[in-house]
Amino acid sequence: MVTIISNGRSSITVFIILCCILLHLADIQAATPPSFSFDNFSQAEDKDSFEFLGGGATIDNASLQITQDTTENVPNLLNRFGRIMYKHPFNMWLSDEIQASFNSNFVINIFRKPAWNAGEGLAFLIAPDLSIPDASYGQWLGLTNAINDGKQTNKIVAIEFDTEKQDYDPNDNHIGLNINSVNSTATVSLDDYNIELSPEVPTNYRVWVHYNGTSKVMEVYMVQDGQPKPEKPLLSKTISLKEYVNQKSYFGFAASTGNPQIELNCVLKWSLEIDDLQKKSDLLWLKIGAGVGVPLVTLLILCGVLYLNKRKRRGKGGDEESKVLGTQLRWLPGMPREFKYKDLKKATNNFHESMRLGQGGFGVVYKGILQDKDHKSGTEIAVKKFSRDSVQSKDDFLAELTIIHRLRHKHLVRLVGWCYEKGKLLLLYDFMPNGSLDKHLYEASNENTLNWRRRYRILAGVASALHYLHNEYDQKVVHRDLKASNILLDSDYNARLGDFGLARALDNERNSYAELGLAGVPGTMGYVAPECFHTGRATPESDVYGFGAVVLEVVCSRSPGISINHHQRLYSLVDWVWMLHREGSIEEAVDERLGTDYVVDEAKRLLLLGLACSHPVASERPQTQDICQIISGIMLAPNVPPFKPAFTWPSMVTACSSTDSTLTNTTFSS
Ligand SMILES: *[C@@H]1O[C@H](CO)[C@@H](O)[C@H](O)[C@H]1NC(C)=O
Ligand SMILES: *[C@@H]1O[C@H](CO)[C@@H](O)[C@H](O)[C@H]1NC(C)=O
Ligand SMILES: *[C@@H]1O[C@H](CO)[C@@H](O)[C@H](O)[C@H]1NC(C)=O
Ligand SMILES: *[C@@H]1O[C@H](CO)[C@@H](O)[C@H](O)[C@H]1NC(C)=O
């Protein structure tokens, strides 16, 4: 280590990286204002804490009045809109992982006279600035207007308390989670909870809005003021706020009235506690340490290994070499436990054929049982033994190790240990009792076939793992070999993506298939994106293509590599599903063994998603973020054209097939 660091060039690199870290830290907001709590509101004392927007917003009668506060002058209440925002912004997130949790608690009163027809509604709001859209009265709730409703640039997330039914609303007494639009992502009718938002007898309601920045779950609780907080939330939704709101965002309320629907929109009490991300920037240090430091240290160590190996090769044999490599591996920060070769030999019954689980990239996987010291119980593991005759297997091993030992996600197979002795390379993983996905799709008997819930959950899990690799991890990682046999199932049939033998961090051009010294593309037919045959390179988009193949495979229980005979013609799986889609009978593609035990809407959504991911043009495929949202139902299923667009090379994004559109009288190539 010391010799490496004292090398001139490395020291400069270290210096530059340290500078970058310092600059990055300086970027983070210096101070976050404290959380706040108002038991009542006073015009004299509290007005400076808030921004009043929309004309009628005031503090009156000890409450925030989001719209005009009058009970006599009815014309003055028609078609009003307003916002009252807390003036200081808060840091909502530092990164995908570090998002601020918050708890907000408020008391609202949506007042109306018995003769009034209540409308339109009030909303708790997170917004990017201290402004309000013009003409956001009526259905727009002071949140959006006819022009900007639904736009991602709105950067707002709100909980609406809606007293007037629109086409997209369930009724005139509901709450909803609104993302950039008054058309809610999720709604809950309050009729089911014996709550009337704006009853004839004025009633105060207490609301709790919780957001957990770790689990990304948003929850809303609501009761008549004075009653205890209920155990269960009325509304609970997983939503990564970072995807929608500005890093610096403001909290407040918005409301509107219509014509003739009118109401007073009052907030009587309000408190907010939000994580001070400043404290968490300590964590960020660690993260940056891991993000920059680990790759750097890894790189330095690898350089060191190469250098030492070169020197050693001149003199001594392989034994020395592996000792050196082993020593260096021990240095990798965060490395899991090191195992002795003889223990692994014993655990796998001398790598006996009966313990063989399968063949992964570059090696065979065995089941192993590690005996505890007292020999009373054993821990099951999976041991991947890299094939010795692969000339490059040491590099493969290092490549796999440097990536996988730092990845942490509940849908990735966990690395639990390693061994490098006498030139033999082994990696230990959690044992997955339910084996790989392909076995369940093809080998299980009809009764044992995966049920729909499990299939759906498996795909959701794989999508979130892929999203992690592509976006949430500090370096972009492509998996490169996504297929059913690489998806393992734990005891609850949750998906765990495995086999990072081919994964490489997407940096300095190291993502080339050719670089692995393999003849051609290593993936399996049907999973490999068409452009890979031209570029020989894996990209996040080609991973998405592989994911699309897996989606179709899981829904249809058909292998992407096997042709389907339909009306005397052979179709690939994608082309077959695409044809059914065109014919308006896409649900016929669903695995017959499921019978009617599946959710038709979900199946259609997945099949359309599978087709969208199989788009021949890489740039047209959805990204993992949208994929996750489509699967969780937050986003609509993608629009898929009736005819599969043509693959073009070099890619021209807008190119569309003319041959396919005459499909009925030409032979379909598959
Ligand atoms: C308003 O609340 C504050 C504490 O937040 C309290 O000291 C004050 O007495 C209250 N005023 C009224 C009028 O209730
Ligand atoms: C003012 O607030 C009190 C207490 O919340 C309430 O009883 C009263 O109706 C309110 N008056 C008006 C005009 O809103
Ligand atoms: C509201 O959103 C749903 C899907 O979330 C969509 O189907 C519907 O068309 C939208 N309605 C309006 C009026 O925008
Ligand atoms: C937030 O979610 C994480 C992960 O699910 C959990 O461990 C933690 O306890 C939650 N925090 C709160 C305050 O509920």
Side-chain angles (χ1 to χ4, degrees), residues 149 167-168 183-185 634 636:
D149 189 66
D167 294 344
Y168 43 81
N183 186 356
S184 309
T185 297
I634 296 178
L636 288 183

Side-chain angles (χ1 to χ4, degrees), residues 514-631:
E515 183 236 347
L516 284 169
L518 298 174
V521 180
T524 312
M525 252 332 259
Y527 294 102
V528 178
E531 71 272 12
C532 293
F533 294 101
H534 295 262
T535 61
R537 293 160 63 93
T539 58
E541 291 79 24
S542 63
D543 269 359
V544 166
Y545 187 92
F547 176 73
V550 170
V551 170
L552 298 180
E553 183 171 14
V554 168
V555 177
C556 311
S557 285
R558 288 175 188 267
S559 163
I562 295 178
S563 310
I564 298 163
N565 192 337
H566 186 87
H567 299 318
Q568 317 283 304
R569 274 195 208 133
L570 288 182
Y571 293 89
S572 71
L573 177 59
V574 179
D575 291 340
W576 179 65
V577 176
W578 217 301
M579 186 191 60
L580 293 173
H581 164 58
R582 178 164 57 247
E583 292 174 350
S585 54
I586 197 168
E587 63 275 16
E588 279 176 27
V590 176
D591 184 1
E592 285 166 357
R593 288 179 298 172
L594 289 170
T596 54
D597 286 342
Y598 69 96
V599 184
V600 178
D601 282 348
E602 289 180 352
K604 284 186 182 166
R605 184 190 305 158
L606 289 181
L607 288 167
L608 289 174
L609 176 64
L611 291 183
C613 294
S614 307
H615 199 294
V617 180
S619 58
E620 296 289 287
R621 292 173 205 145
Q623 298 191 346
T624 51
Q625 179 187 330
D626 290 346
I627 291 174
C628 291
Q629 294 196 352
I630 289 166
I631 292 180

Side-chain angles (χ1 to χ4, degrees), residues 33-103:
S35 302
F36 57 79
S37 175
F38 295 92
D39 245 7
N40 53 55
F41 298 91
S42 133
Q43 170 72 14
E45 286 164 33
D46 300 325
K47 71 172 192 315
D48 292 338
S49 301
F50 299 98
E51 188 79 19
F52 299 87
L53 299 154
T58 52
I59 291 177
D60 198 13
N61 199 17
S63 309
L64 299 177
Q65 308 284 343
I66 317 298
T67 49
Q68 269 73 1
D69 178 36
T70 171
T71 50
E72 306 309 321
N73 184 1
V74 167
N76 199 25
L77 280 174
L78 299 175
N79 279 341
R80 294 297 174 178
F81 56 99
R83 282 188 187 180
I84 297 183
M85 305 299 294
Y86 191 70
K87 252 189 192 165
H88 292 287
F90 293 89
N91 249 336
M92 303 301 292
W93 41 266
L94 295 178
S95 67
D96 284 305
E97 289 98 304
I98 307 187
Q99 299 198 24
S101 297
F102 64 79
N103 291 327

Side-chain angles (χ1 to χ4, degrees), residues 143-155:
L143 295 175
T144 61
N145 61 26
I147 293 166
N148 74 6
D149 189 66
K151 296 231 162 89
Q152 285 180 6
T153 47
N154 292 348
K155 301 271 182 194

